[in-house]
Amino acid sequence: MMRTSQRYLLLAMLAFGVVLMPTDEAFAQKKSKKNAPVATTAPAAEKKPEKKKLEDVVKGHKKFEGLFTFYQDTTSGEMKLLIKKEQLGNEYLYFSQIGDGVTDAGTFRGSYGDNKIFKIERYFNRVEFVQQNTSFYFDPENPLSRSADANISPGIMASAKIEFEDAETGVIVIKADNLFLKETFGMIKRPPFPGESPMSFKLGNLDSEKTKVLAIRSYEKNSDLAVEYVYTNPSVLNGGSDAVTDGRNVSIKVYHSLIELPDNGYEPRFEDPRVGYFTTKVTDMTSSSATPYRDVIHRWDLRKKDPNAALSEPVEPIVWWIENSTPHEWRETIKNAVLEWNKAFEKAGFKNAVQVNIQPDDADWDAGDIRYNVLRWTSSPNPPFGGYGPSFVNPRTGQILGSDIMLEFVYHTNRVVYNELFGETAANEPVVGTWHNGHFCTVGAHLQNSMMFGQAFLRASGASDYEMEGMKMEAMAELLMHEVGHTLGLNHNMKASQLFSPAQLADKDFIQGKALAGSVMDYMAINIAPDKSKQGHYFSTTVGPYDVWAIEFGYTPVKNQQEMDAILAKSTRPELTFGNDADDMRAPGKAIDPRVMIGDLSNDQIGYSIHMMETSRKLMKGIKDKYTKDGQSYQELVQAYGILMNQYATAGGVMSRFIGGVYVDRAMAGQEGATQPYTPVSLQDQKRAMNALSKYMFAPNAYEIPNDLINYLARQRRGFDFFSGPEDPKIHQQVLGAQRSVLAHLTHPNTLQRMVDSELYGNKYNLATYMNDLTKAIFDADISGNVNSFRQNLQVEYVNTLKGMVAGTGSARYNHLARSAALYNLNYIKGKVSNAGGDLSSRAHKDHLKLLIENSMKEVK
Ligand SMILES: [Zn+2]
């Protein structure tokens, strides 16, 4: 068997050689040259050796002329790259994006890859492609700059032998296949995550036979290559989702771009902590300042046509193209949303800075062409987002050179983006995030959830199709503005939802035509007015005051630092407040300022959260009727239930962040309107949050899920999908999941550490008092009598949490005061469960608690 296959292989190799050799002229030529010195010696030395010319080297090749000139062998497809003499030692930008991928492997259409500067350098008879380090700055006037490269490792990405060199013109030619058919310029196959299951989907090895160049396009300022990388695996454990046709052979199409760096006198603008832009970090190594930062913000090169005019059109506007795959009925909404940003640019002195065109159906360019900024629309399997707006920049200056926005059709459907409501994410739908400049955007998924909540609300109130469509279009406008904001350089502002009071938001006349938050770069909750007749906008339909100001900071042509300082001095105005992803409290124990949060709305987050929870409860009572349609399954009902539960849990999370919270003010010292940097949340607000959590998250009747609804929470069977887990509605698991995520913050080591520390600077909610309040909220209502099944779950969970604080490996993360408080409360609970009363189930539960507490006491060291 083995021998047979080896023989076939040998035959195949022979056949390949025999066929190839006579037709491959380049190969034949090279061979004859190599043989030449052997065949002739003396006479050849007299005569100058015959000079090979460029046209001989590239005979039988198709030429692609541009910034870099490529040649492709018309028989074998092999590529050669021509490098001009003046290109050696020059800096170029390398950029890659995914043409088509599979989300299983963390790649998808339009996702941006590496963005870096490289130089082509000569080393004897080779050229090297060397990635440049852009993280450091040395003042050229400072002698230290002579040691500028000390201990900074360059990245030599590739080294290629010079195949041909023209003595007169100095052009050199190298083989280019190794540069582009391998992962030379950047990683495509991601490394396994630490602790990743061996069962998870994996790409195989890069197959050099199957990997091929699909297209070469060379323009004056950039050269692009489309390459299909094929990863093969002899056998696979996990063949991936339905999007993977054959897990053994997975294709990923990548666009590589080599780009000329603009030499245009663009002036970098430096980051300020009070405004949120994407940046490239640069440290000044010759500065003795406490903040030797020269971090450049990412922005477009906008210049006034008329520099003296207060308002001028830009020399080069930012032009967007709506991809011709966009549904016709949405094009107008999309266009208008993008153009809303012109309001912000007018404050920065620019008229018509942003323009929008529609890609003609017969356009001779596609969206992967980096010369066009495209608003793209796809409907792909398992989309990782509802929208995604990346850009690529010159890392030396921060100048944005191109951008795209990816939008997913799923956003406009009732298909849940993340089907995580029923714990099936891991099994069926790989969730992939998109990181860009340290930024992860899931606003599409977030807005889709809000939109579906809006649908449930409108349906319950008997709204017309017209109203429903209007609400959806508002959500789409907010999504578009948010993504465009990213492409202008703005990162998230999760503090912006503080702009208005609940009363202002619930006033149709007041809110008309206004943004609902200081910025569209937040993840706000939907605006639902308690009084339907006063209902105004559900979502923002224009940019907010912070957005306008941020564009002013990033784009206003300023003559001097004073002008810049005048813009920045406004940062203390309440409508311009800012806090980014690093400041937000979305994850338990993360960050400190409860105002910097997602899923919230208004300057009374606790009040608005209570309103959303009350609304969810009310809607929950009616969804069975509203979502049950004759002749249809209960799939839609199940989704509506999930959306309501999700909103309910989100609101609980928002309230929990006030416990132990500290407000942050990033104003500079002495700035008008500035307060001290850290101010703990008032006792009153912490208590208010605690009382609301007690009532809506922990109380015996906190989750008002009608029992006769549960009988109908049945997903529609699809093939054998229920093999992945039993289909029954797991209500207790869902409720406990929401309670657990709140408890995770309330008992997080960071939260408890901050409560102790902040007592020194203004916090009046003492840790011991707080912990006892929490215990009382979870036990006092029912521990002396009957304890229902939800509360039994919660109480065991809480006792286990306290146990984890005093014993076991995790306890080391807690300070001593927190551990003392945990011990005190375990004893408190023990006292309550000792005189056990109630029904059999309650007595069993209390015995369980007693045993857990006794065991944890034994383990305390
Ligand atoms: Zn975002």
Side-chain angles (χ1 to χ4, degrees):
M1 189 66 191
M2 284 275 278
R3 231 177 280 152
T4 317
S5 65
Q6 278 172 346
R7 199 158 57 219
Y8 279 136
L9 188 66
L10 189 67
L11 279 172
M13 281 165 71
L14 281 172
F16 184 64
V18 169
V19 174
L20 182 79
M21 269 165 18
T23 56
D24 189 329
E25 286 161 278
F27 182 75
Q29 262 182 6
K30 203 174 121 190
K31 197 177 163 193
S32 71
K33 195 188 172 186
K34 203 171 162 190
N35 287 343
V38 185
T40 58
T41 34
E46 302 279 309
K47 221 165 63 175
K48 266 193 168 175
E50 198 188 321
K51 259 197 203 156
K52 210 161 63 166
K53 293 206 174 74
L54 178 62
E55 49 263 43
D56 301 327
V57 178
V58 297
K59 202 169 175 187
H61 286 63
K62 189 176 174 197
K63 185 180 185 185
F64 299 86
E65 194 165 5
L67 174 67
F68 286 99
T69 299
F70 283 86
Y71 295 94
Q72 190 175 31
D73 191 311
T74 52
T75 308
S76 68
E78 283 177 355
M79 291 183 301
K80 291 189 168 73
L81 172 62
L82 182 146
I83 301 164
K84 294 178 200 136
K85 196 177 177 184
E86 62 270 24
Q87 288 179 319
L88 288 172
N90 253 5
E91 289 195 336
Y92 293 93
L93 187 72
Y94 167 79
F95 166 67
S96 72
Q97 59 179 318
I98 301 296
D100 269 307
V102 285
T103 52
D104 303 69
T107 59
F108 53 87
R109 178 177 291 192
S111 60
Y112 277 24
D114 285 292
N115 177 175
K116 52 194 167 199
I117 287 181
F118 70 95
K119 259 186 196 176
I120 307 174
E121 283 170 352
R122 183 164 186 153
Y123 179 75
F124 295 99
N125 65 340
R126 307 184 72 85
V127 287
E128 293 179 333
F129 290 74
V130 187
Q131 184 183 341
Q132 304 297 300
N133 191 313
T134 54
S135 303
F136 305 101
Y137 171 81
F138 288 82
D139 180 353
E141 302 291 304
N142 191 313
L144 270 172
S145 65
R146 292 199 191 99
S147 63
D149 51 1
N151 302 323
I152 296 169
S153 161
I156 301 176
M157 299 182 290
S159 171
K161 189 169 165 271
I162 296 171
E163 299 290 323
F164 167 79
E165 180 170 11
D166 190 316
E168 280 162 32
T169 61
V171 300
I172 57 180
V173 174
I174 59 167
K175 288 184 177 170
D177 284 359
N178 273 350
L179 284 178
F180 297 101
L181 297 182
K182 291 182 178 169
E183 297 186 17
T184 304
F185 280 99
M187 229 163 37
I188 298 161
K189 177 179 163 177
R190 66 164 178 82
F193 299 124
E196 187 172 299
S197 157
M199 284 296 289
S200 62
F201 177 82
K202 277 184 196 66
L203 285 178
N205 293 320
L206 186 62
D207 188 321
S208 57
E209 296 282 309
K210 291 177 183 166
T211 296
K212 57 182 177 280
V213 171
L214 299 175
I216 304 172
R217 292 182 295 225
S218 212
Y219 308 104
E220 192 192 341
K221 290 180 176 165
N222 61 295
S223 296
D224 298 348
L225 273 91
V227 180
E228 181 173 359
Y229 292 86
V230 183
Y231 295 85
T232 58
N233 243 343
S235 65
V236 283
L237 269 174
N238 177 348
S241 68
D242 292 347
V244 181
T245 313
D246 175 358
R248 298 170 307 162
N249 298 289
V250 181
S251 287
I252 296 178
K253 290 174 197 157
V254 178
Y255 292 118
H256 298 278
S257 296
L258 310 179
I259 306 160
E260 186 177 68
L261 281 181
D263 177 19
N264 51 5
Y266 167 87
E267 283 200 20
R269 191 156 288 187
F270 299 106
E271 195 202 19
D272 188 277
R274 293 164 285 186
V275 198
Y277 271 80
F278 293 123
T279 61
T280 299
K281 231 181 192 178
V282 181
T283 303
D284 184 346
M285 303 303 279
T286 46
S287 162
S288 56
S289 155
T291 52
Y293 313 147
R294 289 175 61 90
D295 304 348
V296 288
I297 67 165
H298 295 177
R299 61 179 193 132
W300 296 84
D301 184 14
L302 278 194
R303 296 179 200 200
K304 287 184 175 178
K305 262 186 193 164
D306 179 358
N308 298 318
L311 189 65
S312 164
E313 296 210 335
V315 178
E316 269 187 65
I318 304 163
V319 181
W320 282 100
W321 294 83
I322 295 177
E323 194 176 16
N324 54 22
S325 59
T326 308
H328 287 274
E329 63 272 27
W330 301 339
R331 292 183 181 186
E332 197 61 24
T333 302
I334 292 170
K335 184 177 175 178
N336 292 338
V338 178
L339 292 177
E340 278 299 311
W341 279 101
N342 276 335
K343 291 180 183 165
F345 279 103
E346 282 182 13
K347 286 276 157 58
F350 292 99
K351 202 164 93 184
N352 298 327
V354 179
Q355 295 177 6
V356 182
N357 299 324
I358 291 171
Q359 182 192 25
D361 284 342
D362 59 355
D364 59 358
W365 53 273
D366 67 47
D369 191 328
I370 60 160
R371 297 172 305 161
Y372 297 89
N373 308 312
V374 187
L375 294 151
R376 311 183 63 180
W377 211 287
T378 50
S379 177
S380 55
N382 314 319
F385 55 81
Y388 167 54
S391 55
F392 66 97
V393 304
N394 176 356
R396 291 254 184 244
T397 62
Q399 184 189 344
I400 298 176
L401 301 172
S403 191
D404 288 309
I405 289 176
M406 303 298 303
L407 300 155
E408 272 289 343
F409 176 67
V410 69
Y411 176 71
H412 208 74
T413 69
N414 291 341
R415 195 153 41 105
V416 181
V417 178
Y418 298 113
N419 193 9
E420 61 195 8
L421 303 168
F422 302 97
E424 289 174 346
T425 310
N428 293 335
E429 301 194 23
V431 171
V432 185
T434 52
W435 281 93
H436 179 62
N437 293 316
H439 144 72
F440 183 86
C441 190
T442 55
V443 75
H446 173 82
L447 272 169
Q448 197 210 19
N449 270 309
S450 291
M451 195 176 69
M452 287 175 75
F453 186 87
Q455 261 176 312
F457 176 77
L458 285 174
R459 203 179 275 201
S461 62
S464 66
D465 287 354
Y466 179 77
E467 282 176 82
M468 192 74 95
E469 208 45 36
M471 184 270 297
K472 284 181 168 186
M473 285 299 161
E474 285 189 3
M476 190 182 288
E478 188 174 306
L479 173 69
L480 260 295
M481 290 187 295
H482 180 105
E483 297 303 345
V484 171
H486 282 319
T487 67
L488 298 173
L490 299 182
N491 61 32
H492 290 141
N493 179 358
M494 301 310 195
K495 203 177 182 181
S497 49
Q498 295 286 317
L499 185 60
F500 294 126
S501 68
Q504 289 170 319
L505 287 163
D507 180 344
K508 187 178 182 170
D509 298 329
F510 173 83
I511 209 73
Q512 180 60 34
K514 293 191 178 79
L516 303 183
S519 171
V520 292
M521 305 313 291
D522 199 343
Y523 294 2
M524 292 84 82
I526 184 171
N527 180 32
I528 301 275
D531 174 358
K532 174 116 206 314
S533 66
K534 293 269 189 70
Q535 175 70 48
H537 295 298
Y538 296 94
F539 298 95
S540 288
T541 53
T542 184
V543 295
Y546 166 87
D547 300 320
V548 174
W549 174 66
I551 293 297
E552 232 186 307
F553 161 76
Y555 289 90
T556 307
V558 290
K559 292 184 197 75
N560 48 47
Q561 190 57 39
Q562 282 81 347
E563 287 185 21
M564 182 53 76
D565 290 344
I567 295 172
L568 286 167
K570 294 189 244 176
S571 79
T572 48
R573 295 184 186 175
E575 70 272 22
L576 305 184
T577 191
F578 161 73
N580 71 11
D581 306 62
D583 305 328
D584 83 43
M585 299 194 75
R586 74 179 82 177
K590 176 180 169 286
I592 67 175
D593 187 338
R595 297 171 302 184
V596 193
M597 186 57 181
I598 63 172
D600 60 338
L601 190 64
S602 89
N603 61 11
D604 176 11
Q605 293 154 282
I606 299 172
Y608 196 80
S609 296
I610 291 172
H611 161 57
M612 288 299 275
M613 289 171 123
E614 290 284 0
T615 308
S616 299
R617 280 179 171 181
K618 210 186 300 168
L619 294 175
M620 193 69 96
K621 293 194 180 84
I623 53 169
K624 196 175 100 185
D625 288 342
K626 296 291 176 188
Y627 281 85
T628 303
K629 289 183 202 141
D630 284 353
Q632 287 184 16
S633 75
Y634 298 95
Q635 186 75 18
E636 234 190 309
L637 174 64
V638 175
Q639 288 197 350
Y641 162 80
I643 291 293
L644 298 183
M645 284 292 280
N646 230 352
Q647 276 293 346
Y648 197 86
T650 300
V654 169
M655 299 192 296
S656 72
R657 285 5 183 207
F658 281 81
I659 307 288
V662 170
Y663 301 129
V664 180
D665 184 349
R666 295 208 193 280
M668 296 295 165
Q671 196 180 326
E672 201 187 320
T675 60
Q676 56 190 5
Y678 296 132
T679 303
V681 175
S682 70
L683 175 64
Q684 190 194 1
D685 279 342
Q686 293 191 69
K687 283 272 195 185
R688 190 171 162 229
M690 181 52 110
N691 290 337
L693 287 169
S694 172
K695 179 175 174 191
Y696 292 95
M697 294 302 286
F698 302 141
N701 60 346
Y703 293 80
E704 294 178 353
I705 305 164
N707 284 354
D708 66 347
L709 165 66
I710 304 173
N711 301 75
Y712 291 85
L713 295 177
R715 284 169 289 154
Q716 181 173 314
R717 183 195 64 78
R718 188 181 187 190
F720 296 92
D721 283 4
F722 289 146
F723 258 138
S724 60
E727 65 174 280
D728 56 316
K730 297 164 191 70
I731 306 297
H732 285 89
Q733 193 179 304
Q734 289 153 20
V735 168
L736 186 61
Q739 291 170 329
R740 201 181 262 153
S741 75
V742 167
L743 276 180
H745 182 76
L746 295 179
T747 59
H748 196 282
N750 293 349
T751 309
L752 303 183
Q753 160 265 316
R754 193 162 49 252
M755 286 196 87
V756 175
D757 282 337
S758 61
E759 254 197 274
L760 300 175
Y761 58 92
N763 172 31
K764 298 278 191 301
Y765 203 10
N766 172 265
L767 175 76
T769 314
Y770 152 66
M771 284 295 287
N772 201 230
D773 284 351
L774 180 58
T775 303
K776 285 174 175 165
I778 294 173
F779 286 89
D780 279 13
D782 53 5
I783 198 64
S784 55
N786 288 339
V787 184
N788 74 29
S789 51
F790 292 106
R791 286 276 281 193
Q792 289 189 20
N793 257 337
L794 173 64
Q795 291 173 359
V796 172
E797 184 74 23
Y798 182 65
V799 165
N800 278 329
T801 304
L802 294 178
K803 187 182 166 204
M805 289 170 67
V806 295
T809 49
S811 64
R813 296 157 67 216
Y814 289 91
N815 63 44
H816 299 316
L817 282 82
R819 299 175 71 190
S820 305
L823 275 171
Y824 175 85
N825 283 285
L826 282 169
N827 276 317
Y828 175 92
I829 298 162
K830 198 179 159 198
K832 294 264 176 191
V833 297
S834 299
N835 48 358
D839 56 20
L840 179 60
S841 167
S842 303
R843 292 203 307 275
H845 164 65
K846 289 171 201 176
D847 283 350
H848 182 189
L849 290 178
K850 208 168 139 188
L851 186 69
L852 281 175
I853 294 168
E854 282 165 3
N855 283 347
S856 50
M857 295 301 182
K858 280 180 209 150
E859 287 175 39
V860 178
K861 296 211 176 65

